[in-house]
Amino acid sequence: MSIDESSTGGPGTGLLPAVAPEVLAEAVENLSGRLRKKLDAAIEGCAAGAVRAADASVSVRFGEDAVVTLRPGPSGVVTRADQAVCGCLLAPRCLHRAAVLGASPIADADADELTPPDPGPDAMTEPAAAAEPGAEPAAAAAAALGAEGDAEGGVLTAAQVRAAAGLWGAAAEALAAGVTAGGAVVQAELLRAAHTARIAGLPRAEAAALRVVRGLRAARDRSAAQRLAELTGAFRELLYTAGLLASGAAGAGLTGAVRRSYEAGGSLRVYGLCREPVLSATGYGGVATHLLGVDGSHYSVSDVRPGGLARARGAGAASVALGGAVLDHAGLARGGLRVVGATVSPEGRLGAGRGVRATPVGGVAWGEGPTAALFSLPAAEAVAAMPAEDAEPGLLGCDVRVVGASGDHVLVRELTPGAPLLRLAPAHPHPELPHAANLRRIAGCPGLVLRVLGRPDLDRAATLRPLAVGPVPGAEHSLRLPPEWLGRADLGYDRLQGAHFPGDAEGLVAEVAPPAAGADPLADSPLWRVRRLLEAGVAGGRRAVAEAARGAEPTALAAALRRAGFGSAAELAAALTAEADRRPRDAFGRLADASAERYAWAWLAAAAHLAAAERSLVAASWA
């Protein structure tokens, strides 16, 4: 829910508060079989009919005698069943109540995921126990997925294994149903299994399930922000995590941490790098300011709260809530801090505990002091040096020359001999954030040289998502930024204007024949056929894959893959289509229901192999 949208007080789609997953799951479970069949139709239109009252409650009317009222708690989230009431005779086991809850956004399992706690020196949290590899089924699962065992970790409890098995079964059923049949009832089963996983101490598995449910909702609502590729990746992550946990063994960190742990960091001196807008699908918005320590360690200070887009846009100039420091995020991104009694999370987030004291210090220009290391390696070497297990790649910097535009990308080439063509893509696609507009201005100036700081997109060939840009020291035809910007422009907040570009266009050295796009090993390989098959399964369920198996597509797919040397991909795709089309019979020759779990394993094996193959091709594209 976005606060700026919900403050209007009239009917609208942004008024319904977020609902805890277990509240929705319980409401759907209490429905009779007859009412469950009507639930998806009843959900349509609920959000548009919502009305906010003066006491912050939200109501939706169904006829004369049925009004559903949601009264969220102080956090703005409906966390208890008694916060959702209906006036009809069947309440609380009524269709109206379940429909309104089903139309509401799914709340994050823990606000700590977006808003870090403010621990003091005596309030550190400990990470959850990790799991230990052991049983033979786990080894078989890891081999099928291409996973490597981890000798470190703790033993999973029986409750954790049972919870993971339940989540695996619910995920398998949701995959077999696909978007077309993955309505509110299927989603509720996933939510209930996810809540059980959380209670058992498996927050990573729960978070993966919530991403799948949100993706199913967005796809069924035909949301403009929905991406089938993202939902496919969410299913892969959920099945991988739940499958390994259900087998009784998992690598260290697969269970996840219940809370983000903070440790004492002592005294730090950090320098600002850039600001990045943060905007979540659950209505949170804010800013993350990236910092660099004198030893090259990466840190960040974030300010993320409910408020959606409006808060993401305004937080860039908000005050920094850290140890009494008197400066805003714009000043911190170009300045620095001396922090005494620092508390630091494993991800490098600085906490704002009672014992933390921060004093502003002068910043450093890019390429000076500790920031010089960010621009010392070619992009290919920097990407190769990044740990493969990191969920999100780190920042890297490089000096590039603009080649031209290719769709919404900017084609650039590093200022090193023999460098490959790179793509600059918007770090955030929202049209009201200036990332895309700034890149369009840069693309319109071929030959311009600039310094880029961004995050590599490891799912796309040679693609960098820049967070900030600046002039190249000593270059004549580079950006001309105001002195107070300290040689950098945050692409998510600062807007580049004509005065920021060199006025003498004749001096720019552009490529004689700029290519429309660089070589893309992903687009040039036949792996797109496997990707299309997997995404068809997510969109249309098992039935869509089975129908594809009965045409000429499987033969063409296998032949193209084998010609390109992807023999394993061909075998896994063939196994998937065969399992999808399998129609078992019982002892009397009657058709029986096929196993959703066998189909899920076949789908996951093909998806895991595809992800590994694509990662290898992407890594090669940077060289």
Side-chain angles (χ1 to χ4, degrees):
M1 180 186 64
S2 174
I3 286 180
D4 56 303
E5 294 172 346
S6 64
S7 60
T8 60
T13 59
L15 296 181
L16 290 175
V19 173
E22 62 271 20
V23 174
L24 173 57
E26 182 182 15
V28 175
E29 185 181 27
N30 288 336
L31 295 178
S32 65
R34 179 178 61 85
L35 292 180
R36 289 189 183 191
K37 296 178 181 179
K38 300 180 179 181
L39 182 57
D40 288 326
I43 288 176
E44 297 181 5
C46 284
V51 178
R52 180 179 292 280
D55 61 354
S57 65
V58 178
S59 61
V60 179
R61 179 175 294 276
F62 292 84
E64 294 293 330
D65 302 323
V67 178
V68 178
T69 303
L70 304 182
R71 294 185 174 86
S75 65
V77 177
V78 176
T79 57
R80 303 194 314 270
D82 60 2
Q83 292 175 333
V85 297
C86 180
C88 76
L89 296 177
L90 292 178
R93 301 173 179 270
C94 63
L95 181 64
H96 315 115
R97 179 174 175 272
V100 174
L101 290 174
S104 302
I106 299 296
D108 284 309
D110 192 341
D112 291 338
E113 293 178 9
L114 287 173
T115 309
D118 295 335
D122 301 324
M124 304 299 173
T125 57
E126 295 296 333
E132 170 187 85
E136 290 183 2
L145 299 176
E148 295 182 1
D150 193 327
E152 299 179 1
V155 177
L156 289 173
T157 66
Q160 287 177 320
V161 173
R162 287 195 300 270
L167 185 56
W168 164 263
E173 293 291 345
L175 178 67
V179 171
T180 55
V185 175
V186 172
Q187 296 168 24
E189 292 298 325
L190 261 178
L191 292 177
R192 173 163 290 282
H195 180 60
T196 303
R198 176 173 178 78
I199 294 174
L202 304 175
R204 174 174 169 178
E206 183 206 23
L210 295 184
R211 285 194 294 272
V212 168
V213 172
R214 293 191 182 108
L216 286 173
R217 284 184 162 203
R220 290 178 62 83
D221 293 342
R222 295 177 173 85
S223 169
Q226 185 271 335
R227 298 290 185 272
L228 187 57
E230 294 178 3
L231 180 54
T232 302
F235 262 112
R236 184 183 67 243
E237 169 67 14
L238 173 58
L239 290 169
Y240 169 79
T241 304
L244 282 184
L245 291 171
S247 67
L254 196 61
T255 56
V258 176
R259 290 194 66 188
R260 181 179 292 116
S261 59
Y262 281 71
E263 297 180 355
S267 296
L268 300 174
R269 182 182 288 266
V270 293
Y271 299 101
L273 293 174
C274 63
R275 294 169 292 168
E276 178 181 11
V278 177
L279 185 61
S280 82
T282 54
Y284 283 76
V287 62
T289 298
H290 298 279
L291 311 167
L292 193 68
V294 293
D295 61 350
S297 299
H298 289 258
Y299 301 95
S300 66
V301 174
S302 61
D303 181 4
V304 182
R305 302 176 188 176
L309 176 64
R311 194 168 195 290
R313 296 171 64 181
S319 298
V320 175
L322 181 67
V326 186
L327 78 169
D328 57 22
H329 280 271
L332 178 58
R334 296 179 171 92
L337 284 176
R338 183 178 182 272
V339 186
V340 178
T343 56
V344 187
S345 78
E347 299 84 9
R349 297 178 185 269
L350 296 181
R354 292 185 300 274
V356 178
R357 296 292 180 268
T359 305
V361 297
V364 296
W366 282 356
E368 297 180 1
T371 67
L374 288 173
F375 304 92
S376 62
L377 291 177
E381 294 183 23
V383 170
M386 291 182 177
E389 65 272 12
D390 283 359
E392 185 177 66
L395 301 181
L396 67 83
C398 57
D399 295 341
V400 300
R401 186 185 305 278
V402 176
V403 175
S406 176
D408 62 345
H409 294 179
V410 181
L411 299 179
V412 299
R413 197 181 298 278
E414 276 192 274
L415 301 181
T416 55
L421 203 65
L422 306 181
R423 298 168 177 82
L424 304 184
H428 200 294
H430 199 289
E432 295 193 41
L433 294 175
H435 293 98
N438 283 328
L439 288 185
R440 282 195 296 270
R441 277 193 170 271
I442 292 173
C445 197
L448 178 74
V449 295
L450 69 159
R451 178 161 283 182
V452 179
L453 181 67
R455 186 177 292 114
D457 186 340
L458 301 184
D459 293 327
R460 300 179 183 274
T463 299
L464 183 67
R465 297 193 179 272
L467 302 180
V469 296
V472 175
E476 180 180 358
H477 299 288
S478 190
L479 292 175
R480 299 174 179 176
L481 302 180
E484 61 270 19
W485 284 16
L486 198 64
R488 69 199 69 168
D490 295 327
L491 296 180
Y493 289 104
D494 302 320
R495 292 187 178 271
L496 296 175
Q497 307 294 335
H500 299 148
F501 292 85
D504 183 12
E506 296 180 358
L508 297 177
V509 180
E511 294 194 7
V512 177
D520 188 339
L522 288 183
D524 296 339
S525 78
L527 288 175
W528 65 268
R529 296 173 180 268
V530 181
R531 191 182 318 115
R532 185 175 68 178
L533 179 66
L534 295 170
E535 292 179 354
V538 170
R542 179 178 189 147
R543 178 177 298 180
V545 179
E547 290 176 355
R550 300 179 191 131
E553 179 66 19
T555 302
L557 182 149
L561 290 172
R562 288 195 172 94
R563 281 197 304 269
F566 295 106
S568 296
E571 293 177 6
L572 292 171
L576 172 60
T577 54
E579 178 59 34
D581 199 32
R582 188 172 62 86
R583 308 184 71 187
R585 296 180 179 271
D586 61 18
F588 299 98
R590 297 172 297 193
L591 288 174
D593 291 336
S595 169
E597 296 196 14
R598 286 186 55 175
Y599 169 74
W601 278 119
W603 186 94
L604 179 57
H609 181 274
L610 174 66
E614 289 184 334
R615 281 196 300 270
S616 298
L617 292 176
V618 168
S621 70
W622 285 88

